[in-house]
Amino acid sequence: SIKMDLLHSNGVLIIQHLQRDYKAYQDFLNFMSYVGDPRNIFSIYFPLWFQLNQVVGTKMIWVAVIGDWFNLIFKWILFGHRPYWWVQETMIYPNQSSPCLEQFPITCETGPGSPSGHAMGSSCVWYIMVTAALSYTVRWKDKSAVTLHRLTWSFLWTIFWIIQISVCISRVFIATHFPHQVILGVVAGILVAEAFEHTPAIQTASLRMYIKTNLFLFIFALGFYLVLKLLDIDLLWSVPKAKKWCANPEWINIDTTPFAGLVRNLGALFGLGLGINSEMFVTSCKGKNSCKIGFRILCIAASLATLQLYNFIRIPTHTEYLFYILSFCKSAAMPLTVVALVPYCVHSLMRTAEKKHN
């Protein structure tokens, strides 16, 4: 449609402007893309927050998973093009004068482009972190504290917006998103996070509840995919485009296909449910050690270290089904490690040390 073409071509002008005038900031922008990567939620933000505040940590995984699931459904409904292939395929540029957009190793995402998953994941998780941090300052009652609360409020929300805008600019700079797609992502992420501010039930969810939620999310997504397939709408239409127009075939990543993200998220939610409802968790995180600051710091350090090791586990990508099964298991192992395995080991070590001491 003419309106979309206009939106896209204006978007391309913005991308060209960024790539031309902000080339010096390329490393910073690539780094911000990494900061906004939804996968960091599970390997960095969650282990930190879960030991500081279990309510916030639990909410974080729920929001990340449900947010990313909505992102997938929206992507399937909106059929958003990505700039790096759109400029090659559109007919609006006369006689082969399509604009030249630079590509980077992280440009060639294979899913549809709208709304941006990075912008959505980043905004929903940072929104939760900021509101959680501010909920601590609300309790300060005296006069000077009110001023301090206001300053903290301004400071944290400024940080929030600096991060969101940087992530958005970085996604546009590398030509993987149009500006309207990242804006849509930020708004959608905030809405999902805000919705979870009002759902206390997730804090007391049983393992059955986690499994039911997982099944619902999986069956709905799969059903949606199959129904559209019956209607002759191919939801993986973006994958061949990505493969065709990516400057370097090695940059294509199976990790970014729609189902890879879904499986990763379902794994994480299942792992969290398994961990929170395990004996290990009850013994260690609900025991007398859990109040000690030393216990928490050890848990954070050990969790972060262990999760970095998971990054070295490369899942074979040649067989798709095997890739999905192993991806699910790896994703489930991460929250399980943070919630149950690491605290239990730390707890046992501390108990042994105490016995020796006595």
Side-chain angles (χ1 to χ4, degrees):
S1 74
I2 297 169
K3 273 185 186 162
M4 282 315 281
D5 280 347
L6 193 65
L7 191 62
H8 285 138
S9 56
N10 282 328
V12 168
L13 292 175
I14 295 173
I15 296 168
Q16 284 181 302
H17 164 66
L18 287 174
Q19 289 191 346
R20 193 176 54 241
D21 299 348
Y22 292 89
K23 192 103 185 89
Y25 300 103
Q26 184 181 328
D27 293 338
F28 168 72
L29 290 170
N30 279 340
F31 172 70
M32 286 315 293
S33 233
Y34 171 74
V35 170
D37 190 332
R39 278 169 285 200
N40 289 335
I41 298 169
F42 305 118
S43 58
I44 298 171
Y45 304 140
F46 170 67
L48 278 172
W49 274 94
F50 189 79
Q51 297 304 337
L52 295 173
N53 185 330
Q54 284 162 13
V55 173
V56 178
T58 306
K59 194 193 295 177
M60 196 177 271
I61 293 250
W62 276 87
V63 168
V65 169
I66 304 288
D68 213 44
W69 182 82
F70 271 119
N71 183 262
L72 173 69
I73 302 294
F74 282 143
K75 277 184 169 155
W76 282 348
I77 295 170
L78 295 173
F79 283 88
H81 289 277
R82 289 186 187 271
Y84 74 93
W85 76 58
W86 182 83
V87 288
Q88 305 287 350
E89 301 206 333
T90 179
M91 294 297 176
I92 69 164
Y93 298 109
N95 53 29
Q96 286 3 91
S97 66
S98 65
C100 179
L101 295 183
E102 198 181 338
Q103 294 184 19
F104 301 88
I106 48 177
T107 297
C108 302
E109 300 231 348
T110 51
S114 191
S116 158
H118 277 65
M120 196 165 165
S122 166
S123 71
C124 72
V125 167
W126 283 92
Y127 187 89
I128 286 204
M129 293 199 276
V130 170
T131 47
L134 286 174
S135 69
Y136 282 110
T137 64
V138 174
R139 298 170 199 156
W140 304 338
K141 282 289 177 274
D142 54 64
K143 266 285 182 345
S144 59
V146 174
T147 323
L148 193 59
H149 171 69
R150 279 186 192 148
L151 279 172
T152 316
W153 190 93
S154 311
F155 173 71
L156 289 177
W157 284 117
T158 307
I159 296 277
F160 172 84
W161 284 112
I162 289 172
I163 289 170
Q164 301 327 311
I165 291 164
S166 305
V167 169
C168 289
I169 291 173
S170 80
R171 302 305 286 165
V172 174
F173 173 82
I174 61 171
T176 202
H177 284 295
F178 289 104
H180 69 275
Q181 298 173 339
V182 287
I183 294 167
L184 199 61
V186 170
V187 174
I190 291 173
L191 289 175
V192 171
E194 186 49 47
F196 272 87
E197 292 292 316
H198 313 289
T199 44
I202 58 168
Q203 299 300 336
T204 52
S206 62
L207 185 57
R208 267 186 66 183
M209 171 74 178
Y210 276 91
I211 292 170
K212 277 182 184 167
T213 309
N214 252 349
L215 282 172
F216 169 76
L217 296 176
F218 178 70
I219 290 165
F220 187 96
L222 190 64
F224 193 70
Y225 173 77
L226 294 173
V227 165
L228 288 180
K229 208 176 166 114
L230 284 174
L231 298 172
D232 237 13
I233 299 170
D234 179 22
L235 288 179
L236 301 180
W237 61 276
S238 57
V239 180
K241 283 190 194 299
K243 286 181 175 162
K244 184 177 178 186
W245 297 113
C246 186
N248 181 343
E250 287 171 13
W251 293 348
I252 297 278
N253 198 342
I254 187 173
D255 266 20
T256 62
T257 57
F259 280 112
L262 179 69
V263 169
R264 218 176 25 243
N265 286 317
L266 295 181
L269 193 61
F270 178 69
L272 177 70
L274 213 55
I276 279 189
N277 291 288
S278 69
E279 278 301 309
M280 285 182 172
F281 170 73
V282 177
T283 314
S284 51
C285 293
K286 296 282 183 216
K288 62 177 193 324
N289 270 338
S290 63
C291 307
K292 294 178 184 166
I293 204 90
F295 171 76
R296 290 182 178 192
I297 289 169
L298 275 172
C299 285
I300 290 174
S303 299
L304 287 171
T306 317
L307 293 187
Q308 295 324 304
L309 296 177
Y310 282 148
N311 292 338
F312 294 111
I313 302 174
R314 287 272 166 256
I315 297 174
T317 51
H318 47 80
T319 336
E320 217 164 315
Y321 289 108
L322 184 67
F323 169 77
Y324 289 142
I325 291 166
L326 292 176
S327 185
F328 180 87
C329 296
K330 181 181 168 182
S331 299
M334 291 172 87
L336 192 58
T337 304
V338 175
V339 171
L341 299 176
V342 166
Y344 186 73
C345 294
V346 172
H347 171 75
S348 305
L349 285 171
M350 283 175 88
R351 240 189 25 214
T352 320
E354 270 171 22
K355 276 181 187 159
K356 275 187 183 158
H357 193 70
N358 295 337

